[in-house]
Amino acid sequence: METDRGDRWHGELLDLDAYLTRIGHTGERAPTLAALRALHRAHVTSLPFENVDAVLGVPVLVDVESVQRKLVRGRRGGYCYEHVVLFAAALERLGFRFTAMSGRVTLGRDKILPATHALLAVTAADDDRRWLCDVGFGGGPLGPVELADGAAEEFDGWRYRLARRQGADGIDQWWLHEYGPDGWVDRHTFTLNPQYAIDFVVGSHFVGTHPRSPFTKRLFVQRFTAGRHDVLDGSLRTTTLPDGTRTERKIHPAELPALLTEEFGIDLDSAALARLQDGLVPG
C-alpha cells in the first residue's frame, strides 16, 4: 500500500468533470500554460469568496471531499484555503507541478500579521517558468503572474506586479502589489517555503475559529469578474471597477438574502440567513 507522505493533494478524489462544469471550463485538459491561464480565470470568476461558515461557527473543513461538496456541488464559495485546496486537486489531477505556499496579507500595513493566506507556485509542462496562482484572495488576479522579480501583468485593466526583497534573516520575501483607487498597494507577502495540506488545515483552523481572526467576527463576501469587483464587508457594499472607480453604500439586513443569491451566487438556508441578518447593522 502506498504511504501518503503528506505532499499529495488527492486529485483522485476530485470529480473533475463536475469541477470543470462548475467553473465553466471547456478547454483542454492538459498541463499547459494556456490551460493554466484558462483554469485560473474560470475559477476566480465563477466561485465566490465567502466566510459564512466561520461567522456562524460552522467547522470549515479543507479536505478535498468537503471542499468540493461545498464549492462544486453546492452553490457556495469559501475562503483562500478552500479555494486553493480545490484548485490544487484539479492541477494535480491534470498533471501540473506546483508548490503550495503561505502568505501574510498586508494591504499596505507596516505590521507583521500571521501567515494566513494560501497560494500556489505552478509550472506547466510546456513552459519552464514558475507562475503565482492566487485563486483564493477574492479580488483576482484573473490569471497567473510570472514568479519573477519585477514581473507585471494586466488583465482587462486590473494591474498587478511582483517584487522580491531580501529580509533581515536573508530569506527572499516576495510581494504582490495591486493597483487600485489609491495607487499601488502591497497586497500580501510570501516566501517559497513549501506548505502541505496539513499546514493548510492548521492555518484554516486559526482563520475559521480564532477569536482574533476577522473572519469569525463579520460577514465578508466577494465576487470578482473581468469588469468589476463586488465586496460585502459586514453591511458595507462596495463595487470597484478596473479604472479604480468605486461606489459604496450600507445595506439593510432585509436586502441580504437577495443580495447573496442574485449578486454573489451564494445559496443559504433560511436559518443561516436569519442568523447573518441578525448580525448586520442596518444601513
Side-chain angles (χ1 to χ4, degrees):
M1 179 182 295
E2 180 183 357
T3 301
D4 184 356
R5 301 174 303 169
D7 58 352
R8 297 172 58 239
W9 294 87
H10 298 290
E12 76 280 359
L13 300 178
L14 177 68
D15 185 340
L16 185 61
D17 289 340
Y19 168 70
L20 295 179
T21 298
R22 175 77 164 99
I23 66 173
H25 177 78
T26 58
E28 64 176 337
R29 302 186 181 193
T32 66
L33 180 56
L36 180 64
R37 286 175 168 149
L39 289 163
H40 194 295
R41 186 182 186 100
H43 184 112
V44 167
T45 58
S46 299
L47 301 177
F49 181 105
E50 49 111 326
N51 68 329
V52 170
D53 287 347
V55 171
L56 298 181
V58 176
V60 179
L61 304 178
V62 291
D63 60 282
V64 172
E65 292 176 305
S66 297
V67 170
Q68 72 174 335
R69 182 166 56 249
K70 180 178 176 183
L71 276 72
V72 176
R73 299 193 178 105
R75 198 165 180 262
R76 290 287 303 277
Y79 55 47
C80 66
Y81 291 107
E82 297 170 277
H83 280 276
V84 172
V85 164
L86 181 61
F87 198 65
L91 294 185
E92 184 181 77
R93 180 76 171 271
L94 293 169
F96 286 93
R97 292 182 292 117
F98 58 88
T99 299
M101 305 174 298
S102 288
R104 303 178 189 273
V105 176
T106 54
L107 295 176
R109 291 168 293 188
D110 185 19
K111 180 180 179 181
I112 296 178
L113 296 171
T116 56
H117 183 52
L119 311 113
L120 297 173
V122 185
T123 303
D126 61 344
D127 188 280
D128 292 333
R129 293 169 292 179
R130 300 181 80 188
W131 297 87
L132 177 67
C133 290
D134 190 10
V135 298
F137 197 80
L142 290 169
V145 178
E146 184 183 355
L147 192 53
D149 188 22
E153 295 282 352
E154 180 174 333
F155 306 97
D156 295 274
W158 304 99
R159 297 165 61 190
Y160 306 86
R161 69 185 185 194
L162 271 171
R164 181 178 60 200
R165 310 170 195 164
Q166 190 174 78
D169 55 6
I171 297 175
D172 282 346
Q173 304 278 341
W174 290 85
W175 297 76
L176 180 66
H177 298 80
E178 64 180 2
Y179 193 84
D182 301 317
W184 286 104
V185 175
D186 51 275
R187 189 163 88 173
H188 49 65
T189 179
F190 59 94
T191 71
L192 302 184
N193 183 44
Q195 301 291 290
Y196 304 103
I198 189 61
D199 298 315
F200 284 0
V201 171
V202 174
S204 178
H205 180 68
F206 174 86
V207 171
T209 67
H210 198 281
R212 293 185 61 183
S213 169
F215 282 2
T216 64
K217 301 179 187 303
R218 69 185 190 277
L219 183 63
F220 194 63
V221 184
Q222 299 186 76
R223 194 73 185 261
F224 190 79
T225 65
R228 59 193 288 159
H229 180 202
D230 292 305
V231 177
L232 181 62
D233 185 350
S235 61
L236 182 63
R237 170 81 161 81
T238 304
T239 297
T240 305
L241 304 182
D243 65 3
T245 302
R246 177 190 293 165
T247 58
E248 59 181 46
R249 70 178 181 88
K250 289 280 190 174
I251 70 161
H252 191 276
E255 299 178 68
L256 186 62
L259 186 65
L260 289 178
T261 299
E262 297 170 11
E263 298 195 34
F264 290 98
I266 296 170
D267 286 343
L268 301 173
D269 61 40
S270 58
L273 283 170
R275 291 179 61 192
L276 292 176
Q277 287 174 295
D278 287 343
L280 285 185
V281 178

